[in-house]
């Protein structure tokens, strides 16, 4: 006797059901649909005459409304944590051998650039303007194109959502050097103090800026590349060829 | 069926140990395997299983593969190298916990 399996229409019904329970992402829906389908097929092994509706009704009762939102929230949190961990590992790598040489070099280079400026006001203005232009260019022009995933289906994926939220995170990370300088400028504007006259301050600010450059690369290039690669590995059939 | 309350804190250990022994498995299969091993005493609720699987995946203790099975997609979980190390630590902890609980709840009568 052949085993009774779910028909494509019944699978579609399950997808529609989980979508009605506010599970809008396909990567979460897929797992829940397989769970229901496996449970129904298991019941059919012992009761072949049981209708799809009856079998499904018994199974779906095991899930409360709260379970669906809990699964989505935990999945979102898990993905966020996964990529933050990758990002932190990437950043820490720049402070261990041999990459620490590059970090020190960039810090020294920024320190030297500070020394080129005599006019403090012009210096702050130039860095803030350059930072905003670079960030705007990369986050609004380069990022959306480079990490765009063309799908051959009209579905939403939680994994791709990471790329979208990453764009805002990346833009904020990139504006960090300008923020540091603007804060320094704002808090010292009424005093004689200018940090470019103090070597120790210059080193600290140069270090913070090189740290934000690493952060900029991590959030704008390394992590999104990993997210896109993970998506292509997990769902190659949905990529438009 | 025994109260599931006692099993709740051990869900990650159960999942990791099972995947370490059985190889790759999918969500529903895990629930059925646990039910069979515990002779129906412990039934993992789906609301607890999937969040835990996603958490373990994010921690790098599990890895996933997605495959077509019949007319639907199935997500298989396997244990990673780090997961195997973690399960060894968790098992040591669990054994010590069980020993301590046995001593606490069933103290041996010492002869004077």
């Amino acid at each position: 006797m052949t085993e009774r399996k779910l028909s494509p229409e019944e699978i579609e019904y399950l997808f529609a059901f989980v979508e009605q329970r506010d599970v809008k992402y396909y990567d979460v829906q897929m797992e829940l649909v397989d769970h229901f389908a496996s449970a129904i097929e298991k019941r059919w092994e012992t009761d072949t005459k049981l209708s799809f509706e009856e079998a499904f009704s018994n199974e779906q009762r095991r899930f409360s409304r709260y379970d669906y939102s809990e699964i989505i929230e935990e999945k979102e949190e898990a993905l966020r944590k996964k990529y933050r961990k990758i990002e932190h590992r990437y950043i820490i790598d720049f402070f261990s051998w041999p990459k620490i040489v590059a970090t020190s070099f960039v810090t020294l280079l920024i320190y030297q650039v500070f020394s080129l400026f005599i006019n403090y006001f012009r210096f702050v203005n130039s860095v803030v303007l350059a930072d905003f232009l670079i960030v705007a260019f990369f986050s609004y022009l380069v990022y959306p194109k480079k990490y765009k995933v063309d799908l051959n289906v009209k579905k939403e994926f939680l994994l791709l959502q990471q790329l979208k939220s990453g764009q805002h995170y990346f833009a904020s990370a990139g504006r960090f050097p300008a923020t540091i300088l603007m804060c320094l400028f704002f808090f010292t504007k009424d005093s004689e103090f200018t940090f470019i006259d103090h070597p120790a301050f210059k080193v600290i600010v140069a270090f913070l800026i090189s740290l934000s450059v690493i952060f900029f690369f991590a959030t704008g290039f390394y992590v999104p590349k990993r997210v896109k690669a993970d998506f292509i590995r997990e769902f190659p059939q949905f990529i438009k060829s | 069926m025994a109260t599931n309350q006692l099993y709740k804190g051990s869900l990650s250990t159960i999942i990791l140990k099972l995947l370490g022994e059985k190889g790759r498995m999918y969500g529903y299969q895990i629930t059925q395997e646990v039910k069979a091993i515990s002779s129906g005493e412990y039934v993992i609720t789906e609301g607890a299983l999937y969040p835990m699987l996603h958490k373990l995946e994010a921690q790098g203790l599990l890895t996933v593969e997605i495959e077509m099975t019949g007319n639907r997609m199935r997500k298989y979980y396997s244990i990673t190298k780090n997961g195997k190390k973690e399960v060894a630590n968790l098992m040591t902890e669990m054994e010590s916990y069980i020993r301590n609980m046995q001593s606490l709840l069933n103290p041996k009568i010492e002869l004077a």
Side-chain angles (χ1 to χ4, degrees):
Chain A
M1 194 175 69
T2 52
E3 279 176 23
R4 190 173 164 197
K5 297 280 178 197
L6 265 81
S7 67
E9 293 74 31
E10 287 163 341
I11 295 285
E12 276 313 306
Y13 177 87
L14 294 180
F15 270 110
F17 175 84
V18 289
E19 196 158 0
Q20 271 173 14
R21 295 291 183 276
D22 292 329
V23 183
K24 60 175 181 168
Y25 299 112
Y26 185 81
D27 30 359
V28 186
Q29 288 177 352
M30 173 200 90
E31 194 165 33
L32 293 175
V33 165
D34 182 50
H35 185 96
F36 283 131
S38 304
I40 294 166
E41 286 172 354
K42 178 90 182 158
R43 296 204 65 172
W44 282 344
E45 281 176 19
T46 50
D47 188 354
T48 49
K49 294 219 166 66
L50 190 71
S51 71
F52 167 77
E53 289 75 19
E54 258 180 286
F56 176 57
S57 161
N58 285 330
E59 284 309 320
Q60 62 98 4
R61 252 185 257 141
R62 294 171 50 82
F63 281 80
S64 68
R65 278 237 170 220
Y66 174 74
D67 284 338
Y68 294 102
S69 56
E70 172 88 1
I71 289 170
I72 299 166
E73 276 168 31
E74 283 290 346
K75 174 85 181 166
E76 274 173 332
E77 183 63 20
L79 278 179
R80 229 186 338 262
K81 272 192 188 158
K82 178 182 171 182
Y83 292 111
R84 281 301 91 83
K85 211 170 157 186
I86 290 171
E87 175 192 303
H88 292 160
R89 236 182 277 139
Y90 178 82
I91 293 170
I92 289 167
D93 207 26
F94 276 91
F95 294 94
S96 28
W97 182 261
K99 283 188 179 163
I100 194 159
V101 178
T103 313
S104 310
F105 180 75
V106 171
T107 308
L108 194 71
L109 197 73
I110 297 167
Y111 181 90
Q112 289 303 322
V113 170
F114 287 164
S115 308
L116 297 176
F117 284 83
I118 300 157
N119 185 314
Y120 181 51
F121 183 70
R122 189 174 292 168
F123 165 72
V124 173
N125 267 350
S126 313
V127 175
V128 170
L129 186 69
D131 187 22
F132 274 97
L133 288 176
I134 292 169
V135 171
F137 175 72
F138 279 102
S139 60
Y140 300 109
L141 292 172
V142 177
Y143 190 104
K145 261 193 197 162
K146 197 170 165 67
Y147 303 111
K148 190 172 180 242
V149 179
D150 284 320
L151 300 176
N152 54 19
V153 281
K154 252 191 146 187
K155 293 185 194 301
E156 280 189 71
F157 290 84
L158 194 52
L159 197 50
L160 293 182
Q161 211 43 40
Q162 293 296 308
L163 286 177
K164 278 183 196 160
S165 53
Q167 189 183 350
H168 305 294
Y169 186 51
F170 168 55
S172 331
R175 281 194 286 264
F176 189 59
T179 315
I180 300 172
L181 289 180
M182 276 160 63
C183 287
L184 273 172
F185 185 74
F186 180 77
F187 288 115
T188 57
K189 67 178 183 334
D190 297 327
S191 69
E192 291 293 302
F193 176 85
T194 57
F195 86 91
I196 46 172
D197 297 330
H198 296 79
F201 268 96
K202 272 203 301 189
V203 170
I204 294 169
V205 177
F207 172 75
L208 288 175
I209 292 177
S210 58
L211 178 67
S212 71
V213 171
I214 297 168
F215 204 62
F216 184 73
F217 276 101
T219 55
F221 299 93
Y222 186 70
V223 175
K225 202 172 138 192
R226 286 285 301 264
V227 177
K228 193 174 171 179
D230 283 348
F231 184 82
I232 294 170
R233 183 177 52 82
E234 287 183 24
F235 303 102
Q237 67 275 41
F238 296 130
I239 310 283
K240 205 184 254 178
S241 50
Chain B
M1 196 195 302
T3 169
N4 282 351
Q5 210 54 32
L6 293 172
Y7 293 97
K8 265 187 182 166
S10 316
L11 185 57
S12 57
T13 315
I14 295 169
I15 293 171
L16 289 171
K17 180 91 175 105
L18 199 62
L19 291 170
E21 283 173 3
K22 305 265 174 187
R24 65 175 208 167
M25 293 174 96
Y26 55 95
Y28 180 74
Q29 195 183 7
I30 294 173
T31 61
Q32 296 306 295
E33 195 65 34
V34 170
K35 197 173 158 188
I37 294 171
S38 67
S39 312
E41 280 286 299
Y42 180 35
V43 180
I44 304 181
T45 60
E46 291 74 8
L49 174 73
Y50 289 104
M52 184 54 81
L53 285 171
H54 301 154
K55 209 180 268 181
L56 294 172
E57 184 196 341
Q59 286 171 353
L61 304 176
L62 298 183
T63 178
V64 297
E65 283 168 286
I66 296 167
E67 276 176 25
M68 277 305 276
T69 173
N71 49 15
R72 62 181 185 265
M73 291 174 93
R74 178 166 283 167
K75 194 171 174 182
Y76 286 96
Y77 293 88
S78 320
I79 194 162
T80 61
K81 252 189 203 167
N82 284 342
K84 282 179 187 162
K85 277 185 211 159
E86 182 68 12
V87 80
N89 294 337
L90 288 170
M91 287 309 291
T92 316
E93 252 178 61
M94 183 64 84
E95 279 159 18
S96 140
Y97 169 77
I98 293 169
R99 258 198 317 274
N100 290 335
M101 285 306 280
Q102 272 173 340
S103 317
L104 282 168
L105 302 176
N106 191 18
K108 283 179 189 140
I109 299 162
E110 283 182 29
L111 295 172

